Amino acid sequence: MPPEVREVFVRWPGKDFRVLEADLGAGTQGREYLGRVGSFLDRHGHRGLKDLDFGYPSWGEDRTYVYQMIKGYLAFGSGEKNPIQNYEESKQRRLALTAEIERRLSRNFLGSLKASLFRFGLKLAQDHFPLRENEKYYGLRCYPGSRRIVLEIGRRYAAAGLLEAAADIFFLTVPEVEEMELSTAESAKDVRDKVKERKLEWKAQIDARPPFVVRSDGLGTEPAEEREAEPGVLRGVPASPGVVKGKARLIQEPSEAYRFQKGEILVAPYTEPGWAPLFLLAKAMVMEVGGAVCHGAIVAREYGIPAVVGARGAMSSIKDGQIITVDGTSGEVRLDPEVSRIVLKGKRVVLRPPSLEDLPYIRSLWADPATMKDVGGVVLRTEEQMHAWFRRMVDPGSDTDSYFLIVPKNGAPAGEASFHRYDHRTKTAELNVKVQARHRGRGYGPESVRLLLGHFFGEFGGEAMEDPVASGNAGGQRMLERLGFRRGGTADGAVVLLMDKESFFASGKKREG
């Protein structure tokens, strides 16, 4: 990859493909690279994250995932084995295993006949199984065109006030659309209300955890009783051999691929073909559902990474960033007792998670009138309440809150930085940065905000941060506005200041320039 193009990819936050393409289009090498991507999409752009549902855009329509994968592959160093080398090694292992099976069959009674039947059956499978994928590949070519037609209908309905957005058309059935064309019995409000109701139902179904086994009559069935698991151990189906220890990254769907880093362990509820590029970056894989011949198991074996599937409760038991050991031979996943500690380092301060020994400091920080006067006044907590708070915010913590202490280099804590009330649907959270009164004026606050936002918009995967600052706290408002926050109105006597991911990384780019 040309240096100019690599630099643009490294700088790109990994979310909006239009921002990346605009930067690439500004240079000669970038324009040439866009032409190569265009040639790829001309051939394969009808594929997508949800191939068989044209309610989702194809790669040609939304190129974000394609660029995310390219950005991820840049993490491979010149001395490391790349995905092609891993595939070739896997192929050589397969050929060696095939030869060994033929050798063992040949030495038994009627060995040559058995070996011949084995070769015949193997060739039959290898020649014809790809035809299933070919049928799907070419059959999907009609989907982007069909989607454009349906979206155009949705656009016209939205312009007429029947829908709030063109994409809402996908929440109506064909007979309902036909009826709307033939009569005006149903009001625009009725149609919009129906769409809203179905969106809520769709979201509930997306978030639901299905039973481990579903019978042909649709009833859920729990598997037979297993031996009692050890604490910190999940058991599933051994899908691809090997033992690996590393950092777990919980990915709900491929659109979160920008959060995944090379060498991490992919933990997912399930996988399908749209997930395949992530396997090239993964050190190992853990999946909540599936068996030895499910999609994820097969791809893991192809790429030679350890995998355990059918590990019930993996998405709730494993914490994002936790160190785990995946034993793809035995089907066990061992969880380290503590989540790996995230430490954010700046020039003036370090943000680190607190320990139980830090509770007296946090308690005194909240009880300091000078520190708390602009944020609602002092907060008094008993020792029991502080321990309950620690369990909620720190250990074991939750997936909606994250708390750090602000610690100057080679010094004692000087404040706190956190975000809380994270909304998984909108990927929005509330900001809290509080520097102790006696440590103010040293630049700790602005740097702590930048460090926390970098973590939130980067590794954590958030999209927007808001901070309701008390109307009387003019200093706090000015600080956030200098950092690029914009005013978003008022609520309960506070001025709501907002920062989105794109604006944050754009402001960082300006500072670097």
Side-chain angles (χ1 to χ4, degrees):
M1 177 180 285
E4 176 187 304
V5 176
R6 174 181 284 269
E7 183 181 345
V8 172
F9 268 99
V10 170
R11 197 168 58 232
W12 180 52
K15 193 61 179 173
D16 189 342
F17 74 90
R18 289 163 295 196
V19 174
L20 176 73
E21 289 185 343
D23 281 353
L24 288 173
T28 303
Q29 292 179 336
R31 289 192 293 272
E32 181 184 344
Y33 193 83
L34 283 174
R36 292 170 59 190
V37 174
S39 298
F40 168 82
L41 292 173
D42 286 342
R43 294 181 60 192
H44 310 294
H46 59 286
R47 302 303 303 263
L49 297 181
K50 301 282 187 180
D51 276 333
L52 296 173
D53 183 350
F54 66 44
Y56 288 85
S58 64
W59 287 345
E61 182 180 344
D62 183 352
R63 300 178 281 285
T64 302
Y65 186 63
V66 174
Y67 291 130
Q68 285 173 346
M69 291 300 97
I70 295 173
K71 179 180 173 71
Y73 298 155
L74 295 181
F76 286 96
S78 57
E80 294 181 276
K81 285 192 297 185
N82 60 45
I84 296 176
Q85 290 171 317
N86 284 333
Y87 171 77
E88 287 299 327
E89 287 184 5
S90 178
K91 177 181 176 181
Q92 293 305 316
R93 288 195 298 270
R94 174 173 59 81
L95 293 175
L97 181 59
T98 301
E100 176 63 15
I101 292 173
E102 290 184 10
R103 185 186 69 80
R104 294 190 182 189
L105 288 173
S106 298
R107 70 187 184 186
N108 295 324
F109 178 68
L110 297 177
S112 59
L113 177 61
K114 292 178 180 179
S116 296
L117 289 173
F118 169 73
R119 284 192 293 270
F120 174 77
L122 181 63
K123 186 175 187 306
L124 202 64
Q126 292 174 339
D127 287 347
H128 291 87
F129 267 99
L131 295 180
R132 179 187 178 278
E133 281 302 308
N134 290 348
E135 176 270 333
K136 179 183 175 185
Y137 177 87
Y138 292 109
L140 287 169
R141 281 189 174 275
C142 68
Y143 273 48
S146 301
R147 175 177 162 82
R148 284 194 294 272
I149 293 171
V150 175
L151 279 175
E152 176 59 23
I153 297 172
R155 185 192 67 76
R156 296 182 185 187
Y157 282 0
L162 289 168
L163 299 174
E164 292 183 355
D168 287 349
I169 190 73
F170 295 113
F171 290 91
L172 298 173
T173 67
V174 172
E176 286 170 343
V177 173
E178 291 174 340
E179 186 178 342
M180 289 165 61
E181 288 290 323
L182 296 173
S183 72
T184 57
E186 198 167 23
S187 70
K189 183 179 183 302
D190 290 338
V191 175
R192 291 196 299 268
D193 287 345
K194 182 184 294 183
V195 169
K196 288 178 182 177
E197 182 180 338
R198 287 180 179 169
K199 281 184 176 180
L200 292 173
E201 182 181 356
W202 172 75
K203 181 66 168 61
Q205 291 174 351
I206 291 289
D207 294 339
R209 285 284 177 263
F212 189 71
V213 176
V214 178
R215 304 186 330 192
S216 59
D217 57 9
L219 297 177
T221 303
E222 290 300 316
E225 284 295 320
E226 301 174 354
R227 68 184 189 276
E228 187 176 349
E230 304 170 36
V233 177
L234 298 176
R235 289 195 174 90
V237 178
S240 183
V243 179
V244 158
K245 183 175 184 177
K247 181 186 290 187
R249 182 65 60 212
L250 275 61
I251 302 294
Q252 289 282 354
E253 56 181 41
S255 62
E256 299 178 356
Y258 62 91
R259 296 180 52 234
F260 193 78
Q261 304 295 318
K262 183 182 78 69
E264 294 181 331
I265 295 174
L266 174 63
V267 182
Y270 65 93
T271 65
E272 52 189 338
W275 294 69
L278 281 176
F279 284 75
L280 296 172
L281 302 173
K283 195 175 187 179
M285 184 203 68
V286 178
M287 207 163 72
E288 272 198 327
V289 299
V293 292
C294 69
H295 171 266
I298 293 171
V299 176
R301 289 194 291 271
E302 285 179 353
Y303 293 157
I305 61 172
V308 174
V309 301
R312 286 183 293 162
M315 295 296 288
S316 56
S317 299
I318 301 172
K319 295 187 180 301
D320 199 49
Q322 187 169 13
I323 301 300
I324 64 174
T325 300
V326 179
D327 188 336
T329 305
S330 70
E332 287 188 346
V333 181
R334 295 186 173 272
L335 285 56
D336 273 24
E338 293 188 9
V339 177
S340 55
R341 291 166 63 84
I342 298 171
V343 177
L344 310 176
K345 297 180 180 180
K347 293 181 180 179
R348 295 182 177 87
V349 299
V350 170
L351 303 189
R352 65 163 176 83
S355 64
L356 286 171
E357 287 72 24
D358 292 309
L359 288 184
Y361 169 76
I362 299 170
R363 191 177 176 185
S364 67
L365 176 72
W366 296 349
D368 179 14
T371 300
M372 302 294 290
K373 68 176 182 178
D374 292 327
V375 290
V378 298
V379 176
L380 303 177
R381 291 285 185 267
T382 65
E383 185 175 345
E384 183 180 348
Q385 289 173 326
M386 290 302 298
H387 279 268
W389 169 87
F390 186 85
R391 288 192 296 272
R392 180 174 64 84
M393 291 291 291
V394 183
D395 189 6
S398 74
D399 60 355
T400 60
D401 308 280
S402 193
Y403 183 93
F404 300 89
L405 286 177
I406 301 171
V407 184
K409 293 293 183 69
N410 302 318
E416 64 180 13
S418 66
F419 58 83
H420 51 282
R421 296 176 186 165
Y422 180 71
D423 186 324
H424 288 276
R425 182 178 56 84
T426 62
K427 297 187 177 181
T428 301
E430 288 188 17
L431 175 71
N432 164 51
V433 173
K434 196 180 292 108
V435 177
Q436 199 166 4
R438 62 191 179 91
H439 291 292
R440 290 173 184 167
R442 304 177 187 180
Y444 296 165
E447 185 172 68
S448 297
V449 172
R450 283 194 290 266
L451 288 172
L452 189 64
L453 291 179
H455 167 64
F456 177 74
F457 291 130
E459 185 176 34
F460 191 82
E463 290 295 327
M465 184 76 80
E466 61 183 38
D467 190 359
V469 182
S471 55
N473 187 1
Q477 295 173 29
R478 284 195 300 270
M479 181 191 75
L480 293 179
E481 288 177 325
R482 283 197 296 267
L483 290 172
F485 280 75
R486 66 183 187 281
R487 291 179 178 250
T490 60
D492 299 326
V495 177
V496 180
L497 294 163
L498 305 170
M499 172 69 80
D500 61 76
K501 180 177 180 178
E502 186 175 335
S503 300
F504 173 74
F505 283 110
S507 65
K509 183 178 174 182
K510 288 179 183 177
R511 285 197 303 272
E512 291 171 5

